[in-house]
Amino acid sequence: MPSIITHAAVPLALWCAADRGRIPPRLLAAGVIAAMLPDADVLAFALHIPYADAFGHRGASHSLLFACVLAAFAASLAFFGSRRPGSAVSSQPRLASTTSTVQAAVFVFVCAASHPLLDAMTSGGLGVALAWPWSEHRFFAPWRPIRVSPFAPQFFSARGLATLLSELRWVWLPLATAVVAWKLIHPAPAVPREPS
């Protein structure tokens, strides 16, 4: 796996690339959590669940179905959150509520799905169970440039530093370059000036 820190890179890049205010702070936080949450399955080691098991590390929680479940949860929170009395969205037309619900679902799905896709690009492990529960096959990307991260006890070692440098080179720098390029191609809309 890339380090837990690097899984936050995708939601942060999307937030930076979006127009100001397009991704609210609460949705950004949900995206960061969704991007990191699949690695909660490391608890399987403490529960003596084998790595290769469907509920082992990089198993069910690294599937596209898991990303869909998180997206549906985010959509329901966005939908029912916009229905609260006194909510700013509740006074707006129904279309605005639908848009924020779809936006929450898509954003959280992309963030959650980015986790197994990054893991599939690492140099080690057993691969990711993208198609679980229909298949327990573990997938790897054809190109695997990211060094696999050591687990917590070895993270602050030479191997951990090499992993961070690998992630900087293959994840953070390409995403930062893509954000800058996107901003150059699609500049932010001008804010109208107030008359003086």
Side-chain angles (χ1 to χ4, degrees):
M1 68 179 171
S3 65
I4 196 76
I5 300 161
T6 293
H7 283 299
V10 171
L12 291 172
L14 292 171
W15 178 74
C16 289
D19 293 336
R20 177 173 282 170
R22 181 76 188 258
I23 299 173
R26 289 175 68 180
L27 184 55
L28 173 61
V32 169
I33 291 168
M36 295 177 172
L37 191 59
D39 274 343
D41 67 5
V42 296
L43 295 174
F45 293 123
L47 299 172
H48 305 291
I49 297 172
Y51 190 160
D53 190 88
F55 294 99
H57 184 49
R58 289 188 175 184
S61 68
H62 285 61
S63 68
L64 294 178
L65 177 64
F66 185 76
C68 286
V69 168
L70 290 180
F73 183 67
S76 65
L77 287 178
F79 180 79
F80 291 112
S82 69
R83 297 282 181 243
R84 286 191 320 247
S87 168
V89 180
S90 64
S91 62
Q92 295 178 357
R94 189 165 187 63
L95 181 61
S97 173
T98 304
T99 302
S100 64
T101 301
V102 171
Q103 178 190 14
V106 170
F107 183 72
V108 168
F109 175 81
V110 168
C111 294
S114 73
H115 184 114
L117 297 178
L118 284 174
D119 278 3
M121 295 176 66
T122 61
S123 61
L126 295 180
V128 293
L130 278 176
W132 181 88
W134 299 278
S135 170
E136 289 188 24
H137 177 76
R138 300 289 184 108
F139 295 89
F140 273 116
W143 183 55
R144 299 167 49 193
I146 305 169
R147 286 185 59 118
V148 70
S149 178
F151 288 109
Q154 301 168 337
F155 189 74
F156 298 101
S157 65
R159 183 174 165 214
L161 179 60
T163 298
L164 289 175
L165 292 174
S166 171
E167 292 171 359
L168 180 66
R169 177 180 182 190
W170 297 111
V171 180
W172 290 96
L173 288 177
L175 285 174
T177 302
V179 167
V180 169
W182 178 260
K183 288 294 193 180
L184 291 173
I185 295 168
H186 297 93
V191 178
R193 294 183 186 183
E194 296 199 17
S196 29

